[in-house]
Amino acid sequence: MAGAVPESEELRRNGLTLGVALAAIALLVLTGLQVIPPLVAGLLGEDEAPDQLLVSAMLLNIALVLFGWRRLSMLRAEVVHSRAAAATARELAETDALTGCLNRRSIHRAAQDLLRKAQARQQVLAIAMLDLDNFKHVNDLHSHQAGDVLLRTAAERLRHHLPPEALLARVGGDEFVCITAFDPQNPEPIERLAAIWIEQVGQKIAWNGIELEASVSVGLSRSDDGDADVETMLHKADIAMFHAKRQGRNQIAWFSLTMENELRFRSALETGMRRGIIQGEFVPYYEKQIDLASGELVGFEMLARWLSPTLGKIGPDIFIPIAEEIGAIADLSEAVIRQALRDAQQWDPGLTLAVNISPVQLRDPWFAQKLLKMLVETNFPPHRLEIEITESNLHENIGLVRTMITSLKNQGIRVSLDDFGTGYSSLAQLRSLPFDRIKIDRSFITNLPESSENQAIVRSIISLGQGLGMPVTAEGVETEAVLAALANFQGLKAQGYLYGHPEPADATLDALRELHLTLDRTDVDTPPLDTGKHFRAA
């Protein structure tokens, strides 16, 4: 640290100052023996007077003694301050300023020391990697101050339950490491401790009139599983933690070799996705939407697919969660939506295009402006576009959702509430949000003929939509039996595999040409076809 006095320099200064002081004391004694007796005699009235030169020498020696003593005291105070500053610098370098935990730099050395002690006692180390599952969401939604409160509270709760000699470090933005020794024949106490951490960290935190909440995923590794190198153990615990998050979060997972293989595959997926977005490997597929009353094709829902040159065609259930985690979902979604707008330009102007947006885009205050820019770039009419928002996302920030919907509708875009029946929206929320359509989740449709309970739910949703002036779409229509059951209801649109699987742009365009539903059709006088039957799967 700058300003700290090296030990050799400190010794040299002290020695020099002490030498000067000792020499001054010695000279003071010698001159005093010659000056003091005559001085005393003079004071007693005798004629003898001290030599003035010796008096001056004695006074100079007194001054040197006082200077040396003062200088020595100052040096000692400087050394004390320098050592305290060095200790503070070491503490700052080894601990996390926000939480008071060890940091990534210091945990390795502390863990090696703990490992040596554990091995001497015939014990092994358990390394727990903990990640706050929705920390980024709290940061984005409630500010970084709220995130700091969440981190400090999590650290306090973890520290409160640490065994003796255990280590706690913050090694990332929302990642902590806990290391403790245990009996290799009995890992159950470690699992119980991890369960306590999950339960304690998951408790809500009151802050500024709101409640902050974060679950935690825990990955565990042990020092007797292969190499006992601290870096390797931390890496294994990190892999196990990612596995716990993929299993649904708020979970505990011990490291296994299969996890490492999965992580390599995950890493390959992430790399391939980042490259694929740039190279246009993510493309729109189109699922038909049918008006049940007329049986006519009225539009399509766009569904993204990844056409990877190495992995083949990959569905959104695999790549969308990863894209959201790595922060690539906005770029991916915007690229696919832009291409879908270009594709739909060639369709009949009466056909609509529906696209889903992710929760990340829903939290983006500039998304409506970005979408308007895409509409302008592609010259696509806003009234033909329908944005679908999943119901489960409404509870995150109802004010932001309302602003987003209003902004989209002001541009002429219609907005649908997707997967209705599976989320948390109340009737009051639904009435306050200006949706244009409700889409019933497929889980209520696929077994509609056999389930009287689902029939009642579907009937209630349709009645709710009619009461609020919102038309309804049924997703997941896959059989003639489901279609017949839906025939009992009025004013529905439907989509599902009964009308064909989602198809790429070229196949969709070819099918539309056969139906004379493209801008390049030549025979506008051809009578309309029963496109509902035409598109049904054989």
Side-chain angles (χ1 to χ4, degrees), residues 230-269:
V230 171
E231 187 66 36
T232 301
M233 290 186 292
L234 289 171
H235 177 64
K236 290 179 178 179
D238 198 42
I239 292 174
M241 182 269 292
F242 275 112
H243 180 80
K245 291 178 76 71
R246 290 198 302 272
Q247 292 299 109
R249 305 188 175 189
N250 207 35
Q251 304 281 332
I252 303 169
W254 283 95
F255 170 80
S256 67
L257 289 177
T258 56
M259 293 180 185
E260 192 162 22
N261 295 332
E262 291 175 5
L263 187 65
R264 289 196 184 99
F265 178 67
R266 162 66 179 258
S267 179
L269 281 177

Side-chain angles (χ1 to χ4, degrees), residues 158-310:
L158 292 172
R159 189 181 291 112
H160 181 71
H161 296 279
L162 282 180
E165 294 188 347
L167 304 173
L168 175 63
R170 181 185 173 208
V171 295
D174 59 347
E175 290 184 347
F176 293 87
V177 168
C178 297
I179 305 178
T180 187
F182 71 101
D183 181 354
Q185 305 302 320
N186 184 25
E188 291 184 6
I190 301 300
E191 295 174 357
R192 287 198 299 270
L193 180 61
I196 292 173
W197 285 332
I198 287 178
E199 189 273 332
Q200 290 294 315
V201 174
Q203 292 183 6
K204 296 180 180 179
I205 304 168
W207 178 77
N208 281 2
I210 61 175
E211 288 186 337
L212 308 178
E213 187 175 8
S215 59
V216 62
S217 298
V218 183
L220 297 168
S221 68
R222 45 192 292 166
S223 59
D224 59 346
D225 182 15
D227 296 332
D229 175 74
V230 171
E231 187 66 36
T232 301
M233 290 186 292
L234 289 171
H235 177 64
K236 290 179 178 179
D238 198 42
I239 292 174
M241 182 269 292
F242 275 112
H243 180 80
K245 291 178 76 71
R246 290 198 302 272
Q247 292 299 109
R249 305 188 175 189
N250 207 35
Q251 304 281 332
I252 303 169
W254 283 95
F255 170 80
S256 67
L257 289 177
T258 56
M259 293 180 185
E260 192 162 22
N261 295 332
E262 291 175 5
L263 187 65
R264 289 196 184 99
F265 178 67
R266 162 66 179 258
S267 179
L269 281 177
E270 292 181 7
T271 302
M273 286 174 60
R274 295 184 188 278
R275 181 201 65 243
I277 294 173
I278 298 173
Q279 297 183 356
E281 296 173 7
F282 291 88
V283 298
Y285 273 49
Y286 301 99
E287 183 174 17
K288 304 167 188 68
Q289 295 179 326
I290 306 298
D291 179 77
L292 285 183
S294 64
E296 292 182 354
L297 176 70
V298 293
F300 294 89
E301 179 180 354
M302 186 274 288
L303 304 169
R305 297 291 185 268
W306 179 17
L307 304 182
S308 169
T310 57

Side-chain angles (χ1 to χ4, degrees), residues 84 122 244 376 534:
Q122 305 300 311
V376 173
H534 179 85

Side-chain angles (χ1 to χ4, degrees), residues 423-434:
Y424 311 95
S425 60
S426 65
L427 180 59
Q429 286 179 335
L430 197 57
R431 291 180 60 188
S432 68
L433 296 172

Side-chain angles (χ1 to χ4, degrees), residues 492-509:
L492 290 182
K493 284 203 312 187
Q495 64 185 85
Y497 293 166
L498 177 64
Y499 304 104
H501 288 260
E503 294 183 321
D506 54 355
T508 299
L509 190 61

